[in-house]
Amino acid sequence: MKSIDLRSDTVTLPTPKMREAIYEAEVGDDVFSDDPTVNRFEQMAAERVGKEATLFVASGTMGNLVCTLTHCARGEEVILGDKSHMFLNEAGGMSALGGIHPHIVANQSDGTMRLEDIEGAVRGSNLHFPRTRLICLENTHNRCNGAALPSEYMDSVAALAKRYGLSLHLDGARVFNAAVALGVDVKELTRSADSVSFCLSKGLSAPVGSAVCGSGEFIAEARRNRKVLGGGMRQAGILAAAGIVALEEMVERLAEDHANARRLAEGIAQIEGLSIDAAAVQTNILYFDLVSDRLDVDTFVTRLDKKGIRLLHTGGPRRCRIVTHYGIEAKDVDVTLAALREVMEEF
Ligand SMILES: Cc1ncc(COP(=O)(O)O)c(C=O)c1O
């Protein structure tokens, strides 16, 4: 039985073209800036998001942490969403390793934070307060149904940041999903951020790696912080080679993942005992609730697993997440919906 793995887009496997590129990659010692494939990837990524420079890092978590450490000193404060990945799912790295203080603001269901809430969180000059240094946004917003935040919103937060002399970081792990969903060039979503991190190892299907992008000066300092974290890799062109293929070939096809997610959401909305806001599904992530109390969520997930459908119980006591990605095809949507129906009918 083929397993349909909808737990995350991080389960994607490298494409045949990526495996070829990995095999053929010309490599060198990247800590000496000698790896031609990493250098090519970094230049390509910087151009793609409209920044001066890029740093190749091991993961999205490392990318966000490197950026936070580069923007902030110990005791300084970061404003970020209460449902953001950086706050919820990155093991408190900014506090643990950087002595940086998170100040959370409510995320709305569309992944935004209200401008007045952000402004209210900016500290005044007072001996008792940490100094506010940075605002972080997430686009798409994982926990908020994979919402795509429009460029107008990003620009308005950047204007607020500028007014208070703060920097803006974008956790753009899935910023290409946002660009495809909104039908805009990704630069429109990155232009107002001082730093951007995006992942190669999610919907873009590369095996490992993320990019951190910003000004030349910022990236020089970020390179130092990557070294502090033990993230200076040597013949990393083996990995960056797949990243080049990811940027060249895997962006436009994200629209297929979005269409599959939408069809899944519409199907789930028809199943008795499940509840979903299907209209909120814009990209490749969807959440739904098991409202029927005839079965508990863990039994529900196990039953599906036995039918070859894997999804995650996450985001709430009776909430599950589905993520579509490269390798999940339209026919898998039909099989998944049939399995969901069967499980619900069995109880
Ligand atoms: C929005 C967001 N940011 C950052 C990350 C971290 O990426 P990584 O798993 O590569 O550390 C994730 C991972 O799922 C994510 O969803």
Side-chain angles (χ1 to χ4, degrees), residues 198-307:
F198 70 81
C199 291
L200 300 164
S201 58
K202 299 192 163 61
L204 301 185
S205 302
V208 179
S210 282
V212 163
C213 313
S215 69
E217 197 184 341
F218 180 86
I219 293 300
E221 196 56 24
R223 196 172 289 279
R224 188 179 167 78
N225 284 322
R226 182 185 69 172
K227 189 72 183 141
V228 171
L229 296 176
M233 297 183 282
R234 302 296 176 171
Q235 285 72 35
I238 293 282
L239 304 172
I244 291 172
V245 178
L247 285 180
E248 282 176 345
E249 302 204 345
M250 301 301 282
V251 172
E252 294 311 316
R253 64 150 307 284
L254 294 171
E256 279 173 46
D257 301 340
H258 302 171
N260 285 336
R262 218 163 19 251
R263 213 153 62 75
L264 274 166
E266 283 157 10
I268 289 170
Q270 306 299 318
I271 300 176
E272 211 189 313
L274 302 181
S275 164
I276 186 168
D277 179 4
V281 178
Q282 290 175 278
T283 63
N284 68 329
I285 299 181
L286 63 92
Y287 290 84
F288 64 92
D289 286 305
L290 184 64
V291 285
S292 163
D293 55 12
R294 296 195 306 273
L295 76 168
D296 66 76
V297 187
D298 292 330
T299 309
F300 173 74
V301 171
T302 309
R303 291 278 169 137
L304 283 165
D305 200 66
K306 290 210 170 92
K307 291 177 187 290

Side-chain angles (χ1 to χ4, degrees), residues 59-61 64 85 90 138 140 142 171 173-174 199 201-202 210:
S59 67
T61 301
N64 286 331
H85 196 276
E90 298 186 8
E138 183 175 316
T140 64
N142 182 340
D171 174 359
R174 298 183 182 81
C199 291
S201 58
K202 299 192 163 61
S210 282

Side-chain angles (χ1 to χ4, degrees), residues 135-157:
I135 301 172
C136 296
L137 293 175
E138 183 175 316
N139 199 5
T140 64
H141 201 291
N142 182 340
R143 195 53 86 88
C144 296
N145 265 306
L149 281 57
S151 56
E152 297 75 23
Y153 174 74
M154 311 279 309
D155 292 348
S156 61
V157 175

Side-chain angles (χ1 to χ4, degrees), residues 8-248:
S8 175
D9 45 11
T10 55
V11 304
T12 43
L13 300 176
T15 66
K17 200 83 181 267
M18 285 177 185
R19 289 180 189 270
E20 261 173 55
I22 288 168
Y23 182 75
E24 286 169 5
E26 214 188 314
V27 294
D29 187 335
D30 181 50
V31 177
F32 290 121
S33 298
D34 278 353
D35 190 303
T37 309
V38 171
N39 294 343
R40 190 150 67 86
F41 168 75
E42 289 183 343
Q43 193 181 348
M44 177 187 273
E47 279 164 18
R48 193 68 177 257
V49 301
K51 300 292 176 202
E52 275 174 16
T54 287
L55 179 70
F56 183 58
V57 294
S59 67
T61 301
M62 184 183 274
N64 286 331
L65 182 56
V66 158
C67 288
T68 312
L69 292 173
T70 306
H71 286 294
C72 305
R74 294 187 76 78
E76 293 185 335
E77 194 165 72
V78 176
I79 297 173
L80 75 177
D82 65 342
K83 296 190 180 66
S84 65
H85 196 276
M86 288 178 70
F87 179 62
L88 292 177
N89 297 109
E90 298 186 8
M94 70 172 77
S95 322
L97 305 182
I100 298 160
H101 198 239
H103 189 152
I104 54 169
V105 163
N107 275 119
Q108 304 303 306
S109 58
D110 63 359
T112 63
M113 297 177 275
R114 289 196 187 105
L115 291 179
E116 58 269 32
D117 291 346
I118 298 176
E119 192 160 10
V122 178
R123 305 283 190 163
S125 165
N126 183 313
L127 171 69
H128 300 83
F129 297 159
R131 289 195 178 107
T132 310
R133 186 64 70 206
L134 179 68
I135 301 172
C136 296
L137 293 175
E138 183 175 316
N139 199 5
T140 64
H141 201 291
N142 182 340
R143 195 53 86 88
C144 296
N145 265 306
L149 281 57
S151 56
E152 297 75 23
Y153 174 74
M154 311 279 309
D155 292 348
S156 61
V157 175
L160 193 159
K162 198 162 178 200
R163 232 175 23 253
Y164 286 94
L166 308 176
S167 297
L168 178 66
H169 170 67
L170 170 61
D171 174 359
R174 298 183 182 81
V175 73
F176 288 101
N177 291 82
V180 167
L182 295 166
V184 299
D185 188 304
V186 73
K187 290 189 192 73
E188 286 191 34
L189 304 177
T190 55
R191 65 187 173 205
S192 52
D194 299 290
S195 58
V196 179
S197 58
F198 70 81
C199 291
L200 300 164
S201 58
K202 299 192 163 61
L204 301 185
S205 302
V208 179
S210 282
V212 163
C213 313
S215 69
E217 197 184 341
F218 180 86
I219 293 300
E221 196 56 24
R223 196 172 289 279
R224 188 179 167 78
N225 284 322
R226 182 185 69 172
K227 189 72 183 141
V228 171
L229 296 176
M233 297 183 282
R234 302 296 176 171
Q235 285 72 35
I238 293 282
L239 304 172
I244 291 172
V245 178
L247 285 180
E248 282 176 345

